[in-house]
Every structure is written in structure tokens, then in C-alpha cells.
Amino acid sequence: MRISKWKPYILRIFDVIVAIVSLAFSVILVKSLNFTVENFFVSSSGVIVQAVSYAVMLYVLNTYKIMWYYATLQEIMKLILALFFSQMISYVIHISVGLSVGNVLVLSDYLKIHISAGIIATLLISISRIIIYIVEHKNKRVMVYSSDKPNTDNNTMIIGAGDACNLLMAHIQKYKDNIYNFKCIIDDDKSKHGMYLNGVCIVGNRYAIESNVKKYDIKNIIFAIPSCNQKDKTEILDICAKTGCVVKTMPSLNQMMDKSNDLDEYVKQIRDVEIEDLLGRDSIRIDLDSVMNYVSGKVVMVTGGGGSIGSELCRQIAAYNPKQLIIFDIYENNAYDIQFELRQAYPMLDLVVLIGSVRDNQRMDMVFEKYRPEIVYHAAAHKHVPLMEDSPNEAIKNNVFGTLNVVQMADKYQVKRFVMISTDKAVNPTNIMGASKRICEMLVQAFDKYSKTEFVAVRFGNVLGSNGSVIPLFKKQIKSGGPITVTHPDIIRYFMTIPEAVSLVLQAGASAKGGEIFVLDMGLPVRILDLAENLIRLSGFEPYKDINIVFTGLRPGEKLYEELLMSEEGLEATDNELIHIGKPIEMDDEYFFAVLHEMRQCMKDDTFDIRSLVKQIVPTYIIQK
């Protein structure tokens, strides 16, 4: 028979003995051993009453069902309350017995005896529970932290000795102590070094990560600083990635508290570090209330609504209760996927999904006339740089004249606001795709001068996880065993996540006055080679050893670095410190539209190279030989 099964009975016997001893000692203390026969009778009966009252009350209030290893303040207060009521009952009965034999003790003596007895009993019984708590925790720690434990696969280092770390360890130790075998903690605060948190030593700062990984044979690292600024987070995670350990990160403290009663959901939120965590800048934050108020109750149209950016726009807009959401896309598979997703998530949403091309002027006219959108987000475009270099006329037909069609319809049917998705490749473009998007920016700025519609453009860099982006390609190459292909060892890019890109677009739609080009401050650029190496490490491999990296040379129209703002545009601040406005560039609208007309005519001949005409209206365009 296990001792743990007998623990409640042992505690009951102990508590009864404590109750008897505390009252007897209190009587001796108050009366100084000056007993009469009557006093002895009263005291003896009082001891019996004391023992019974304690045994009954502690049992009735379920104190013997408390698991003291998991005890909280609520359980401690329950114990103290049970002890208080026990002593009160004993006091009342003791007075009654004393009065029945002639009031041999004055009332003040009764009060002194029971106050001192209550204090003594509370202290002794509370100390017994504290000893149980300490012994059980010590046993758990010996089991979890034993240095000679044969299985080292769960050896874990935690980064950050704060509230998140404490909460994580408390959960894991109580419920899932076989998931992580906590060996050491890293924290940059020197005052914490050498101290212990939940039995685990804080061994040093971020620069001690690699040495302690070797010392403790660490296999897992958990980044437990949800509030860490992105610069420090990137540096720390970069160090962690070089160790070859499985690196995970925790959710925010609020999310952890929300899941405190659902351990499985809580543990699931401890996720693998993704390449998005290494961007080197803080995530963009917008005023969601202003965005929600802007699209709520409006008819909203998203062209290219099945694409990476377009579909995320649809998701976020759908959550803001638009009057109607119109998804327009030429690719029916993508359109179907987002349609199915939104109908599942928002069954009450008035959702319209239409198939068609923005190049079809008649189709666009029919759509605008029937649905009369109030807000248009124009995300439809060809965007793959090398492919567009091989088909420059198609890039102009779709991106420029497709945009012109949508812009004209927005003007004709008096759309309140038109937001066009642009790219950093529009700045000093070296490829036809970037040049086409620069012309699109010029289009919306030109129309804004004469139209009642407020036309704006939103410019951002590469989007992680989007169709055609480098991260999905790298992941596929790693999955197949490599090699990873990088065009040039020095190539750099600005990166952002899809939700960030959409946040910027929505912010532009909410705060635009017309004619602006909104630009995101994307922080420091990222070297693609570093991105590839980190992704290999985060996948559990060693670059150049397990997965090779080969350089293939710059592709047609590709340049080593991207710019976010043309030098002549300048910057204007907005309420969001990460969002700026590029001032409109002066241009000859009459000449601009005349060249566009000539381009349309020339493109009737598929053999005509449109680049020379593009150069006439985008003088910063550098034609690749």
C-alpha cells in the first residue's frame, strides 16, 4: 500500500493531536498549572471538544482533499477558515461546559485560552502543509532536473527569467514535466545571475547561450520574453539558431493567462521560431478601431482577392462587418478557397465572389454598375519579376491598363476611396514589373487631381509567405534535401509579413485624403544569404554541411537592393510612426496620358518592345541589356 494513499488519514491524526496539544498548552499557559478538580474536568472536556470540532470542520470543508503540491491562495484561505471555525465552535462549547459546573474559569480566561490555542494550532497545521509542499516539490525537481537522467532529448534552456518563464515552468512542472527537462536559464540582467527560479539556475546573458548549450547538452531552447523589442529578439534568436537546437518561442503573457486553465491549448502556443521572428524590426501596429469604423457598413471590393495579399485583405475586412464584400479574381481556384473560408468563418457575411479580368473593361463596367462599391482595394497584378521580363507587354497590359480600367470605373461610379497595392520595386525600377507599378502609382495620383474619388497607393517590400516569395521556395528546397539557391551572396531585401502588409493597406484606406503614396518604415534590410542560413538552422540542419547553398547569379531585371522611396519624393509623418507618406511628384499629365495612348496602340503588335515607351514616362527606369 503506497504512503500517498494513507496521507489524508495521517494528516487527520496529526491535526487532532495538534488540536489537543494546542488547547492543553494554552490552559497550562493561562492558569500556570494552578488546577482544581473542576478546572481539570472543564479542561479535559474542552480538550475532547477541541479534538472533535477540529476533526469535523477540517473534514467538512474538504481540506483533506486539497493537493498541496498545486495549492493556491484559495486553498490556504480555506484551511485558515476551517481552523478559525473549529476554534470558535470549541470556544462556545467550552464556555457552556464551564458554566454548567459553576463558572470555574472567568470569561477572560476562556478567551485567552482559545485565542492562544487557535494561534498555536494554525501555526503548527500550516507549517505541516508547507513541509508537504516543499517535500513534494523537492521530489519533483529531483525527478525533472536529475543530471544523470539517461534521456537528454528534453534538455531545455529558457531565455528570459521573467513572468513568462515563471508561468511556463509552473505549468510544465505541475502537469507536463516530461515535456521539457529544464536545465538552465539565460537572462541579460546581471543581478539575476547565479540565482534560481523554480529550482533552475540563471547562468548568464545572451553571450553565454552557446557555451551553456554545450555544458548542459541542451536540445531545446524556449524564448520566453514576449515583450522583448525586435532588435534584441533578432540578435538572441540568431545566436540560438547557430546552436543547432530546436528553438521555440512563447506567446504574449496575456495569451498565456487566457490559456492557464487549458494546458493543451497553452502548450500548443509554444511554437517553433519562424523566419518572421528574425526580421530585425518590431511588427507594425495600426488603430484597428479606426479601420473597423471605416469599412463597417460599406460595400467593399477587392480585386485579386484570391491572392496572398488580396485574401488577407478579405479576411480582415470580413471581420469588420462590411455591408457587402466583393471578391474579384481571374483565378477561380484561389477565389473558391477564400470564399469557402469566409463562409465558414462569417456565415452572416454578404459575400459576392466574381471571376474576371481587370483587363476586361466591359466586365469591370458591369460589375461596378451592379454592385456600386464604396471602397476598392486593387491588389490584382502580375508581380513575378523574371517572368515579366520575358513578357513585358503582358506586364503593361495587365498591371497598367488593368489598373487604368479599375481606376476609370472607380471614377465613373464615384467610389469613395481607391487603394492600390504597389511595391518597392517601383522605386528606380530595373525591371518591367517595377516600372509598370510605378506607372500605376502615377495613374492614381493623376486621377486624384480631377476625380471625386480619393485615390492612394500603398508601397511595401517583399511579403513573407506570399505566392512566389523566397521563403516557401527555400522550405521546399530544404525539404527535398537541398541545395538552396540564392542569386547573389550580397543581395538584400526588405521583408514584411502578410498581416503587416494588409495592416498598412487598411491604414491607408482609413486615413487617406487622396494622392498619397503610403510607405512602411521596414527597418533594416535583410541579406538573403543570412535568411537562407537561418532557415536551414531553424530546420535543424547545418548550412553547407547538411544543406548546401549555391549561387545562381542575378536574374533578369533583378538588382542587389531595393529602395522604398524615390529621392525626390521626401517623407511626411503620419500618426503611425512606422508609416510615412511620399509626397506626390510633379508630372506633365497631358504628356503622360499621350504616351499611355501610344503604348496601347503599339501593343497591338506583340513583337513591339514596350520598354522604350515606358522609359519616356518613367525616366528612373533602367532598361536591362
Side-chain angles (χ1 to χ4, degrees):
M1 194 72 71
R2 292 183 303 173
I3 294 178
S4 59
K5 185 174 182 179
W6 290 95
K7 189 184 298 181
Y9 302 102
I10 295 172
L11 282 178
R12 290 176 194 178
I13 295 171
F14 174 80
D15 292 343
V16 168
I17 293 173
V18 167
I20 294 171
V21 170
S22 64
L23 185 65
F25 183 77
S26 297
V27 170
I28 295 172
L29 186 67
V30 171
K31 300 307 296 177
S32 301
L33 298 176
N34 185 23
F35 283 147
T36 64
V37 174
E38 292 83 358
N39 282 353
F40 180 78
F41 172 77
V42 173
S43 299
S44 298
S45 61
V47 166
I48 296 173
V49 170
Q50 177 91 344
V52 173
S53 63
Y54 266 69
V56 171
M57 286 304 299
L58 289 171
Y59 175 79
V60 169
L61 292 181
N62 293 322
T63 63
Y64 296 113
K65 293 183 179 180
I66 296 174
M67 299 177 69
W68 289 102
Y69 179 76
Y70 307 117
T72 63
L73 181 61
Q74 183 177 355
E75 280 75 32
I76 295 172
M77 292 305 298
K78 180 187 285 188
L79 176 65
I80 293 174
L81 191 65
L83 295 173
F84 172 77
F85 280 123
S86 300
Q87 199 64 54
M88 285 293 296
I89 292 171
S90 178
Y91 172 58
V92 171
I93 296 176
H94 202 172
I95 290 177
S96 301
V97 173
L99 291 174
S100 67
V101 296
N103 195 23
V104 295
L105 293 175
V106 296
L107 291 177
S108 61
D109 288 338
Y110 284 116
L111 186 61
K112 290 176 183 178
I113 289 171
H114 282 276
I115 288 176
S116 60
I119 292 173
I120 293 170
T122 300
L123 285 174
L124 291 177
I125 291 175
S126 297
I127 289 172
S128 71
R129 274 35 172 202
I130 292 172
I131 291 172
I132 293 172
Y133 179 87
I134 292 173
V135 169
E136 290 189 352
H137 268 262
K138 183 178 180 181
N139 291 338
K140 286 285 185 180
R141 285 172 186 149
V142 168
M143 179 178 65
V144 176
Y145 307 122
S146 176
S147 59
D148 54 12
K149 187 176 180 179
N151 182 12
T152 62
D153 291 343
N154 296 333
N155 286 359
T156 302
M157 169 189 288
I158 302 181
I159 309 295
D163 292 336
C165 173
N166 183 53
L167 187 58
L168 168 67
M169 297 180 73
H171 273 77
I172 299 300
Q173 287 173 4
K174 287 181 180 180
Y175 305 105
K176 297 273 187 178
D177 53 7
N178 61 323
I179 291 180
Y180 298 111
N181 180 22
F182 298 121
K183 287 292 187 179
C184 61
I185 301 174
I186 294 293
D187 197 286
D188 284 343
D189 187 348
K190 291 182 180 180
S191 64
K192 296 180 180 180
H193 295 172
M195 300 180 70
Y196 285 79
L197 179 62
N198 285 298
V200 181
C201 186
I202 303 168
V203 295
N205 60 19
R206 69 184 71 177
Y207 304 109
I209 290 175
E210 294 184 85
S211 61
N212 281 284
V213 163
K214 296 177 182 177
K215 178 179 178 181
Y216 292 98
D217 194 17
I218 299 297
K219 297 297 190 297
N220 307 288
I221 299 176
I222 299 178
F223 184 84
I225 319 176
S227 60
C228 183
N229 67 70
Q230 189 62 42
K231 181 180 178 182
D232 286 334
K233 181 178 181 180
T234 300
E235 181 179 340
I236 293 171
L237 289 178
D238 189 53
I239 295 172
C240 293
K242 295 176 182 177
T243 64
C245 296
V246 175
V247 185
K248 295 180 178 290
T249 186
M250 294 177 63
S252 69
L253 201 57
N254 288 336
Q255 289 175 313
M256 292 168 62
M257 296 299 291
D258 289 343
K259 298 294 183 182
S260 59
N261 294 321
D262 190 342
L263 184 70
D264 289 336
E265 287 300 317
Y266 170 82
V267 171
K268 287 178 185 176
Q269 291 187 89
I270 303 174
R271 61 173 177 82
D272 291 341
V273 170
E274 298 288 350
I275 203 70
E276 289 89 337
D277 296 308
L278 304 175
L279 289 183
R281 58 172 176 77
D282 294 314
S283 298
I284 182 173
R285 293 176 174 82
I286 66 170
D287 182 359
L288 293 178
D289 291 335
S290 67
V291 173
M292 183 182 297
N293 293 334
Y294 178 67
V295 302
S296 179
K298 302 289 197 311
V299 178
V300 183
M301 179 177 179
V302 180
T303 68
S308 304
I309 296 296
S311 61
E312 181 65 20
L313 274 168
C314 293
R315 290 184 192 96
Q316 295 199 27
I317 292 169
Y320 300 150
N321 301 313
K323 180 180 179 181
Q324 187 178 58
L325 176 59
I326 304 163
I327 298 176
F328 188 87
D329 202 291
I330 194 171
Y331 185 38
E332 70 273 17
N333 290 348
N334 283 349
Y336 172 79
D337 288 342
I338 188 63
Q339 177 191 51
F340 182 81
E341 179 184 335
L342 294 181
R343 284 184 174 168
Q344 291 289 108
Y346 306 99
M348 302 303 294
L349 174 66
D350 185 355
L351 179 64
V352 177
V353 179
L354 304 173
I355 302 301
S357 172
V358 293
R359 291 163 58 170
D360 187 340
N361 187 268
Q362 184 177 356
R363 173 65 168 155
M364 296 307 306
D365 199 333
M366 291 173 59
V367 170
F368 273 80
E369 182 181 24
K370 180 176 181 179
Y371 295 100
R372 300 295 176 121
E374 300 168 82
I375 305 171
V376 174
Y377 292 96
H378 179 49
H382 289 326
K383 61 182 181 180
H384 199 281
V385 170
L387 290 181
M388 292 304 100
E389 287 299 291
D390 294 332
S391 304
N393 288 18
E394 291 304 308
I396 298 300
K397 287 178 185 178
N398 191 74
N399 292 2
V400 174
F401 291 104
T403 297
L404 179 58
N405 285 340
V406 185
V407 166
Q408 288 174 331
M409 294 305 110
D411 175 51
K412 179 179 178 179
Y413 291 100
Q414 298 184 355
V415 169
K416 178 175 176 58
R417 192 159 298 170
F418 180 99
V419 182
M420 190 203 78
I421 310 302
S422 188
T423 171
D424 56 358
K425 293 176 177 61
V427 181
N428 299 323
T430 58
N431 53 73
I432 195 67
M433 194 284 285
S436 71
K437 297 301 282 186
R438 178 58 190 149
I439 295 174
C440 293
E441 292 180 353
M442 298 167 73
L443 269 174
V444 298
Q445 288 188 325
F447 266 81
D448 185 73
K449 298 175 185 177
Y450 313 107
S451 176
K452 292 182 180 179
T453 300
E454 296 168 338
F455 289 95
V456 299
V458 184
R459 184 190 295 163
F460 46 80
N462 295 274
V463 181
L464 290 170
S466 66
N467 296 329
S469 71
V470 70
I471 300 303
L473 173 62
F474 285 171
K475 288 182 176 179
K476 287 180 181 178
Q477 291 174 332
I478 291 172
K479 188 175 181 179
S480 64
I484 278 184
T485 55
V486 177
T487 57
H488 193 283
D490 297 323
I491 192 169
I492 61 173
R493 290 291 182 267
Y494 294 92
F495 282 98
M496 65 189 311
T497 65
I498 292 176
E500 285 178 322
V502 170
S503 296
L504 176 60
V505 174
L506 291 175
Q507 178 75 73
S511 60
K513 297 177 182 177
E516 303 100 327
I517 297 178
F518 288 87
V519 182
L520 173 64
D521 180 357
M522 301 185 70
L524 297 174
V526 177
R527 199 165 70 125
I528 300 299
L529 179 58
D530 294 337
L531 202 64
E533 291 175 346
N534 282 327
L535 194 58
I536 292 172
R537 294 188 184 102
L538 291 175
S539 301
F541 301 106
E542 186 175 340
Y544 308 106
K545 181 179 179 182
D546 301 317
I547 302 289
N548 196 22
I549 299 175
V550 297
F551 301 102
T552 58
L554 292 175
R555 298 173 298 177
E558 193 171 44
K559 53 184 177 180
L560 283 177
Y561 62 92
E562 302 289 1
E563 304 158 272
L564 289 177
L565 196 69
M566 298 180 72
S567 59
E568 64 266 37
E569 284 180 299
L571 283 177
E572 181 181 327
T574 67
D575 292 338
N576 190 319
E577 62 181 8
L578 294 179
I579 301 175
H580 305 280
I581 298 173
K583 296 179 181 178
I585 299 173
E586 294 296 328
M587 64 180 189
D588 186 337
D589 293 349
E590 184 176 348
Y591 176 73
F592 174 69
F593 284 106
V595 175
L596 283 183
H597 177 73
E598 185 180 355
M599 289 171 64
R600 189 191 290 272
Q601 298 304 313
C602 291
M603 280 194 304
K604 293 178 181 179
D605 178 5
D606 285 340
T607 63
F608 180 80
D609 190 344
I610 202 68
R611 291 181 176 90
S612 58
L613 288 178
V614 172
K615 177 71 174 178
Q616 291 184 28
I617 53 178
V618 185
T620 57
Y621 172 39
I622 302 172
I623 300 176
Q624 298 291 310
K625 302 298 183 180

